Amino acid sequence: MAALPRLVCASSIVLVVWAGFCSAVCVEVPSETEAVQGTHMKLLCISCMKREEVTANTVVEWFYRPEGGKDEPIYEYRKTNHEFPSRFSGRLQWNGSKDMQDVSITVLNVTLNDSGIYTCNITREFEFEIHRPLFTSSRLIHLTVVEEAGEDFTSVISEIMMYILLVFLTLWLLIEMVYCYRKVSKAEEAAQENATDYLAIPSENKENCAVPVEE
């Protein structure tokens, strides 16, 4: 039953990508905030630029703050990737796009201790002819790591709707089969009655049943 929620999620992602492709714009999608222990978690950070702002030098800084702690740098992109020594050493993977609008990273093999607040800081220096303005933006991700994936309300509703749809389709199929069976049976009975009536007619009368041919 878990396949249906995954299918719904996958369909949603396809629709978002398709909409972004057709409208030729960047879509700022929020990151997921719950991960399952032992899986890979993509921390989604998207900072859209306008068409005239494409030429820019981008610096990306990722910070992690445990519960009740302070921000500590864990990853940086400044023309090249750099991973800071931390609890995530060897478990961070760059997932940014070439145009630097998607500057996401992935935490590999997440643990319960990875819960906390992740900050994505983006600094852009735009290369205009007259001036070189500097803009900054931040994204906060409150991540919670759980031991097992639990069913949320949406998945429960999806499963209920799936059961209702299956029951409806089954009943509709049964009704169609009964209708077709009765229709075929009546047609066979009518044909058999016609054949019986024809055989019951005397042979001399059968000749009279023939339609005369006009010359």
Side-chain angles (χ1 to χ4, degrees), residues 36-73:
V36 180
Q37 181 182 10
T39 62
H40 301 340
M41 177 62 186
K42 183 176 181 179
L43 302 175
L44 192 62
C45 181
I46 298 178
S47 178
C48 297
M49 292 188 296
K50 298 179 182 179
R51 183 173 301 177
E52 64 272 12
E53 298 175 343
V54 171
T55 305
N57 293 322
T58 303
V59 176
V60 182
E61 298 172 307
W62 277 93
F63 295 87
Y64 168 73
R65 186 199 316 164
E67 186 69 26
K70 297 181 180 180
D71 285 336
E72 56 183 74

Side-chain angles (χ1 to χ4, degrees), residues 168-201:
F168 173 78
L169 292 176
T170 303
L171 292 176
W172 177 80
L173 182 61
L174 289 175
I175 293 173
E176 286 293 322
M177 291 177 63
V178 172
Y179 172 77
C180 293
Y181 175 77
R182 290 183 176 179
K183 190 173 182 180
V184 171
S185 298
K186 289 182 179 180
E188 291 180 352
E189 290 177 359
Q192 187 174 3
E193 290 179 358
N194 292 336
T196 302
D197 294 341
Y198 179 78
L199 293 174
I201 299 176

Side-chain angles (χ1 to χ4, degrees), residues 48-206:
C48 297
M49 292 188 296
K50 298 179 182 179
R51 183 173 301 177
E52 64 272 12
E53 298 175 343
V54 171
T55 305
N57 293 322
T58 303
V59 176
V60 182
E61 298 172 307
W62 277 93
F63 295 87
Y64 168 73
R65 186 199 316 164
E67 186 69 26
K70 297 181 180 180
D71 285 336
E72 56 183 74
I74 59 174
Y75 203 88
E76 180 183 78
Y77 182 91
R78 194 185 298 264
K79 292 186 178 180
T80 59
N81 302 329
H82 176 65
E83 182 178 342
F84 292 95
S86 66
R87 69 178 70 190
F88 303 97
S89 295
R91 295 195 296 124
L92 297 179
Q93 179 179 316
W94 174 255
N95 283 134
S97 58
K98 292 183 179 180
D99 59 7
M100 296 302 295
Q101 300 200 81
D102 183 355
V103 292
S104 307
I105 61 173
T106 296
V107 182
L108 306 177
N109 192 24
V110 296
T111 67
L112 297 177
N113 294 329
D114 293 340
S115 297
I117 299 176
Y118 295 79
T119 304
C120 171
N121 291 335
I122 307 103
T123 303
R124 299 192 193 278
E125 183 181 7
F126 295 102
E127 300 176 354
F128 296 127
E129 295 181 359
I130 302 176
H131 61 296
R132 301 170 69 91
L134 196 69
F135 296 96
T136 60
S137 60
S138 295
R139 303 286 187 275
L140 293 179
I141 302 173
H142 296 258
L143 181 65
T144 302
V145 181
V146 296
E147 294 183 358
E148 296 180 354
E151 290 187 343
D152 56 9
F153 181 74
T154 303
S155 62
V156 173
I157 294 297
S158 299
E159 290 185 6
I160 293 175
M161 294 301 296
M162 182 187 66
Y163 283 124
I164 294 176
L165 181 60
L166 288 175
V167 172
F168 173 78
L169 292 176
T170 303
L171 292 176
W172 177 80
L173 182 61
L174 289 175
I175 293 173
E176 286 293 322
M177 291 177 63
V178 172
Y179 172 77
C180 293
Y181 175 77
R182 290 183 176 179
K183 190 173 182 180
V184 171
S185 298
K186 289 182 179 180
E188 291 180 352
E189 290 177 359
Q192 187 174 3
E193 290 179 358
N194 292 336
T196 302
D197 294 341
Y198 179 78
L199 293 174
I201 299 176
S203 58
E204 60 273 9
N205 293 338
K206 291 180 182 179

